[in-house]
Amino acid sequence: KQKPGPHVALLPSSGMGHLTPFLRFAVSLAQEDVQVTLITTHPTISHAESQTLSHFFSNFPHITPKQLNLLPLKNAGSDNSEDPFYLKYEAIRQSSPLLKPLLSSLSPPLSALVTDMSLASTVIPVTQSLSLPNYILFTSSAQMLTLFVSFHTIVGSKAPNDSDKTEDFFQTPGLQPIPKSWIPPPLLSDTPNLLKTQIIENGKKMIQSDGILINTFQTIEQDSLGALNDGKVVNGLPRVIPIGPFPPLHIEKSQSIAWLDDQPDGSVLYVSFGSRTAMSREQIRELGDGLERSGCMFLWVVKERKVDREDEGELGEVMGDGFIERVKGKGLVVKNWVNQEEVISHKAVGGFLSHCGWNSVSEAMWNGVPILAWPQHGDQKMNAFVVDRIGLGLWVEEWGWGGGEVVVKGEEIGEKVRDIMGNELVKVGARQVREEARRAVGDGGGSKKGLIEVIEVWKK
Ligand code: BUP
């Protein structure tokens, strides 16, 4: 009789960008006969998260839900942050005493716990005290992982701007220097902030994990993966195992957009900056101007607030001056949220103006949709670099991070939109990435082999 599969618990972090890859990973494991318990932290930050979780558990009843009810957040120390996502990581950190009894109570006993990278420093001490193997699921690119694990060594005891104020590059050990303009600004700041503290603490602690699983694949990130696994980036890093890109789950059946069905194949530019980018009203209007100037068809998700709850402003008011009426027939503007998996796989969609959150990038890879990259914050410039390098899209590096003021004018946006929608070379490149992505996770593919190897280790 076959031995039952190992029992593995997954602990995702907050925000759709972190939850989504964990859900896809959970399904990939379950398909390989792993018993999966998914630990969710409550309360969730956004409506999108709670809705996605309820769809998920009703679609995959064989994945066991387990709730971790967070303690009320005391204070975020001296590291001021208003970002609800970083505050949530902090709340999970402060609630870590609750994790040990929860993990020990699971039955059958666990073979491993897989945690989001933003929780490494919180969770690894707990799993160590239980002698439970701990794996990290890194939900961004390998390019970003090189910075994540080495940042604390680069910063050392000095602030990154101290000794080399004139230096424009960050030397990641073992790799090409990274322009400082690609580094998330809070990491370069001398003022304490939660992003910086968390990257330093988690980056250090990840060395003590048993393995780092990552939602990417060998063909597109060979150099970074090679440097990480050859010990060039940091000494003693556990093996980094590419197991992506995770196939979309298509569990959210509602909200399909009928308008797309009426548009010619490959004619529509999908515009979205992810679940946690609030764009200023001025920049929104400038972007609207750009889309209008481009003459291309577009489907645009507009968000003025960081957390994906209902935005307050009426769309007409946000866009200003009869925009919605003017673009009727050409463009569809929606507030807050669409079912992106459906949109991006729709045959009418031929381009994606994206912030380059790694899930959006992997969804574009999966569907061979060319990206016009406009990173807004965090890891997104590192990811945009990958997009451009692998021929999946174009990144106009001069475009600044999003922020309060207008950083890119409509005229410039319009020009680049026309460029991406008509660029045959990028279309071919994107189609090739799609083939490689599917091959990687298909039978015999590198990512599939990686996943099976890890499961074999858990079986022992
Ligand atoms: Br917005 C939006 N619909 O309208 P990323 C997002 N998504 O399904 P982020 C929708 O959320 P981080 C919408 O498909 C993707 O899987 C989208 O993740 C989905 O960016 C996910 O792309 C968003 O990684 O997160 O949200 O900025 O910064 O943590 O990467």
Side-chain angles (χ1 to χ4, degrees), residues 218-352:
Q218 195 70 37
T219 347
I220 58 159
E221 292 210 272
Q222 216 153 10
D223 291 357
S224 304
L225 290 166
L228 287 159
N229 280 328
D230 289 347
K232 288 185 186 148
V233 182
V234 274
N235 256 333
L237 192 70
R239 214 175 125 216
V240 178
I241 308 160
I243 56 167
F246 299 136
L249 298 176
H250 296 287
I251 46 173
E252 199 182 313
K253 294 282 175 263
S254 57
Q255 297 180 3
S256 79
I257 293 183
W259 178 81
L260 279 176
D261 300 340
D262 300 329
Q263 312 310 324
D265 290 3
S267 65
V268 176
L269 176 80
Y270 168 54
V271 184
S272 170
F273 298 94
S275 68
R276 38 186 302 186
T277 300
M279 206 172 245
S280 71
R281 196 166 279 198
E282 295 71 34
Q283 184 66 73
I284 288 178
R285 290 184 181 183
E286 205 64 45
L287 172 53
D289 178 50
L291 294 173
E292 203 178 347
R293 280 168 188 268
S294 76
C296 300
M297 313 283 275
F298 61 87
L299 167 60
W300 179 12
V301 187
V302 172
K303 243 162 73 72
E304 269 196 305
R305 301 218 348 229
K306 205 165 217 164
V307 177
D308 34 66
R309 289 193 209 105
E310 277 297 295
D311 271 3
E312 272 152 10
E314 280 302 314
L315 258 184
E317 184 199 323
V318 175
M319 311 304 306
D321 276 1
F323 177 84
I324 306 274
E325 285 68 42
R326 271 201 318 280
V327 298
K328 233 185 198 123
K330 268 270 168 208
L332 186 67
V333 187
V334 287
K335 242 169 78 172
N336 287 319
W337 195 258
V338 294
N339 180 347
Q340 182 166 305
E341 285 183 347
E342 295 307 323
V343 167
I344 209 167
S345 62
H346 197 288
K347 62 183 178 17
V349 172
F352 184 8

Side-chain angles (χ1 to χ4, degrees), residues 17-18 20 272 274-276 337-338 340 355 357-360 363:
H18 292 262
T20 303
S272 170
S275 68
R276 38 186 302 186
W337 195 258
V338 294
Q340 182 166 305
H355 68 312
W358 193 243
N359 297 293
S360 292
E363 287 154 19

Side-chain angles (χ1 to χ4, degrees), residues 22-189:
F22 266 83
L23 300 183
R24 293 175 181 161
F25 175 53
V27 172
S28 305
L29 289 176
Q31 281 166 348
E32 301 300 327
D33 293 329
V34 174
Q35 295 184 55
V36 181
T37 295
L38 183 73
I39 304 171
T40 57
T41 50
H42 292 266
T44 54
I45 291 187
S46 67
H47 182 56
E49 281 172 85
S50 52
Q51 207 174 37
T52 301
L53 282 170
S54 87
H55 283 300
F56 179 80
F57 287 119
S58 59
N59 274 272
F60 299 101
H62 50 296
I63 292 175
T64 312
K66 188 83 196 174
Q67 236 171 275
L68 177 67
N69 294 309
L70 299 175
L71 301 168
L73 182 66
K74 285 216 185 87
N75 62 54
S78 58
D79 299 337
N80 304 316
S81 176
E82 285 172 3
D83 187 309
F85 297 95
Y86 301 145
L87 291 173
K88 175 79 183 279
Y89 305 159
E90 180 59 20
I92 300 176
R93 196 184 67 76
Q94 292 180 11
S95 304
S96 68
L98 305 176
L99 195 57
K100 191 171 174 176
L102 185 149
L103 293 173
S104 334
S105 72
L106 297 178
S107 170
L110 290 174
S111 302
L113 173 70
V114 185
T115 324
D116 187 276
M117 69 273 201
S118 63
L119 303 177
S121 67
T122 302
V123 169
I124 291 178
V126 177
T127 49
Q128 283 172 337
S129 73
L130 291 166
S131 303
L132 177 66
N134 180 287
Y135 286 72
I136 301 298
L137 176 61
F138 195 79
T139 60
S140 183
S141 55
Q143 168 76 23
M144 182 60 196
L145 178 58
T146 63
L147 179 68
F148 198 96
V149 292
S150 64
F151 184 69
H152 66 98
T153 65
I154 306 170
V155 177
S157 52
K158 66 178 168 66
N161 279 337
D162 266 6
S163 60
D164 47 6
K165 286 216 179 337
T166 53
E167 202 40 88
D168 290 336
F169 292 91
F170 232 37
Q171 184 59 57
T172 333
L175 284 160
Q176 295 276 323
I178 300 171
K180 275 204 179 146
S181 57
W182 299 6
I183 309 282
L187 297 189
L188 298 173
S189 161

